[in-house]
Amino acid sequence: MPKNTPYSLPKDSKAWQQAVDSVASLLPADTHLQDFDTLQSLPVFALIVVLPAYVHALDIHQYVQSWVDEQPSWHLVTVAEDAQAHFVDITIPEVITSKDDVSNPNAGSKQPFVPAQVFRYLLVPVNDTLMHPGKKTAAAHIIDDQLTTRLRHDLAENYLAKNTSSTQNIDSSNVVDCHILSIGHMLRTHKLICFDMDSTLIEQEVIVELAKMAGMGEQVEIITEAAMRGEIDFDESFVQRVSLLKGISTDVLDDICARLTLSVGARTTISAFKALGYHTVLVSGGFTYFARYIAEQLGIDEVHANNLDIEEGEVTGEVQMPIVNGAKKASIVAHIAERMGIDMSQVVCVGDGANDLPMMANADLGVAYHAKSIVQARADAAVNVTGLEGVLYALGYPALISK
């Protein structure tokens, strides 16, 4: 029987609303504090700081406050935990299917997520003002860069340098995530979340794994990396890579399925979003042969990917149209939202490559997960410190806790 590990997630969006209510005097007099569109036009930011649990973070408030003290235009408010928050119960199966055995890296008690500390604040201008959306986005990126640099420096100087015995393998550049987001992202009720698969829900790029089995691994990996960085056209790279897979048998495909490893936090994250009432979707530029397998492992509601052309038990090397590229991903997400009868303001998209940018740009919140630099620069939030559960924190949820 599967062994289940129970965790809880406070469902406390009221905490953000209470924080907004507390700064009403700093906002324009006619501001309706429950009008998300109005709040979106104000430079009121949610500031979320995420640290690994091993970092002694008693001084994190001091570090954040000291930076704000040097910015005379901004006021900092701590978002208090909601004492009356409802808890969403999350049960994470450690073993999912009968395929799990000692040879399967997905079997056993793989870390369900990275223990973390989450600190939540409001950053509010001292003088009430409106701000053009483009200028607000630019301001968020500037604050993000400045504060992240400052916190990394403070943590490296005051913590990591004094704890080398326990942190000797720690990269100080990835010891803190800062998310600077419009407060509207925290207050809205999102209903649809879409995930890329390769290097997001799973640790591998499946097409690279296929190429390795065909003896073309290095060639395909070079093409894949260039495409994910946005250096070459995705459709062109896809056709090139698939042509190199000609002759691979379905036995090899099944073997690769069995060896794919879920990203840390993937099971936790999908379980949490489903418990919160989200419709979950896997939308991939990879292949349905593998995407459906991963979706089944995670309990994802819906799958969209490329069909892998197979004849007489072997991959033909031909591409079936249309290719699920960046534009197609965005179109798929928009179609699902329309089918559900929801606005794109209720959609969250998560990915790591350049072909994920169109769907992330159209969503209310686009989250880069351990992503290429071009994707991190354009995303609303970038998760680097934790596993995939960091997406929950970027949406304003407190840290996961054991029951």
Side-chain angles (χ1 to χ4, degrees):
M1 294 291 292
K3 181 181 177 182
N4 296 324
T5 306
Y7 296 93
S8 289
L9 180 71
K11 189 179 181 181
D12 69 341
S13 59
K14 288 184 179 179
W16 287 102
Q17 186 64 61
Q18 289 166 355
V20 171
D21 293 343
S22 74
V23 297
S25 62
L26 296 174
L27 304 178
D30 59 348
T31 301
H32 188 321
L33 299 183
Q34 278 74 39
D35 184 341
F36 301 157
D37 289 335
T38 298
L39 288 173
Q40 285 290 72
S41 67
L42 297 172
V44 178
F45 294 106
L47 164 59
I48 302 161
V49 179
V50 183
L51 297 170
Y54 60 75
V55 174
H56 188 274
L58 291 178
D59 294 327
I60 193 66
H61 297 290
Q62 177 184 331
Y63 297 156
V64 174
Q65 186 65 61
S66 66
W67 179 85
V68 174
D69 289 343
E70 297 170 7
Q71 320 297 321
S73 299
W74 295 99
H75 178 72
L76 186 72
V77 176
T78 299
V79 177
E81 299 295 334
D82 185 354
Q84 298 181 329
H86 297 290
F87 284 78
V88 174
D89 292 332
I90 305 164
T91 301
I92 309 163
E94 293 186 0
V95 179
I96 302 296
T97 72
S98 59
K99 288 186 178 181
D100 287 318
D101 56 36
V102 293
S103 66
N104 187 346
N106 279 323
S109 56
K110 187 174 180 180
Q111 187 180 28
F113 58 85
V114 176
Q117 304 163 85
V118 181
F119 302 87
R120 305 180 298 167
Y121 306 92
L122 275 187
L123 201 55
V124 188
V126 173
N127 299 313
D128 59 50
T129 182
L130 298 177
M131 186 176 283
H132 184 275
K135 187 176 180 181
K136 184 175 178 179
T137 300
H141 281 292
I142 291 170
I143 295 169
D144 192 347
D145 289 343
Q146 290 182 356
L147 186 54
T148 300
T149 300
R150 175 66 168 270
L151 291 178
R152 285 174 179 170
H153 173 270
D154 288 347
L155 286 168
E157 187 174 79
N158 299 305
Y159 178 76
L160 297 181
K162 299 175 183 178
N163 294 273
T164 53
S165 60
S166 61
T167 61
Q168 56 185 350
N169 295 320
I170 302 301
D171 179 0
S172 62
S173 67
N174 279 335
V175 78
V176 59
D177 278 344
C178 284
H179 307 309
I180 312 290
L181 300 163
S182 172
I183 187 58
H185 292 308
M186 304 300 108
L187 299 176
R188 278 201 182 94
T189 299
H190 298 96
K191 295 183 178 181
L192 169 63
I193 186 161
C194 302
F195 292 89
D196 173 48
M197 180 177 71
D198 296 62
S199 297
T200 302
L201 287 173
I202 62 174
E203 295 178 345
Q204 295 84 7
E205 291 284 337
V206 170
I207 199 164
V208 173
E209 298 304 307
L210 283 166
K212 287 177 182 176
M213 301 300 289
M216 299 287 183
E218 186 174 349
Q219 291 170 260
V220 167
E221 190 162 7
I222 290 171
I223 298 170
T224 300
E225 286 295 310
M228 291 300 99
R229 291 192 299 267
E231 295 173 359
I232 60 175
D233 178 73
F234 181 84
D235 286 11
E236 178 188 346
S237 73
F238 188 76
V239 171
Q240 289 179 22
R241 289 177 292 173
V242 172
S243 69
L244 296 172
L245 306 180
K246 184 177 180 179
I248 293 179
S249 74
T250 53
D251 290 339
V252 171
L253 305 185
D254 292 337
D255 181 56
I256 289 174
C257 273
R259 292 190 291 107
L260 294 177
T261 51
L262 299 173
S263 294
V264 172
R267 289 175 180 163
T268 307
T269 303
I270 299 301
S271 296
F273 278 116
K274 287 176 72 68
L276 289 165
Y278 282 70
H279 184 69
T280 56
V281 178
L282 188 164
V283 54
S284 173
F287 303 109
T288 54
Y289 197 100
F290 305 96
R292 287 173 181 156
Y293 173 79
I294 294 301
E296 181 181 349
Q297 299 295 298
L298 293 171
I300 289 175
D301 298 310
E302 190 170 337
V303 175
H304 297 269
N306 293 291
N307 290 318
L308 187 58
D309 195 51
I310 297 172
E311 290 184 4
E312 298 181 358
E314 291 187 348
V315 176
T316 67
E318 300 296 324
V319 171
Q320 292 192 14
M321 304 301 284
I323 295 172
V324 180
N325 53 22
K328 184 63 175 177
K329 281 190 173 189
S331 175
I332 289 168
V333 173
H335 177 74
I336 296 170
E338 181 180 8
R339 189 190 73 213
M340 292 177 63
I342 63 174
D343 295 329
M344 291 302 292
S345 62
Q346 295 175 287
V347 179
V348 179
C349 289
V350 185
D352 74 300
N355 63 323
D356 297 312
L357 286 171
M359 70 173 184
M360 291 165 63
N362 290 345
D364 185 56
L365 188 69
V367 183
Y369 176 68
H370 292 269
K372 309 299 183 288
S373 57
I374 187 176
V375 182
Q376 294 201 39
R378 296 184 186 179
D380 297 304
V383 174
N384 292 299
V385 168
T386 66
L388 203 61
E389 74 283 354
V391 177
L392 289 161
Y393 306 146
L395 277 164
Y397 290 98
L400 288 155
I401 58 174
S402 299
K403 289 178 66 177

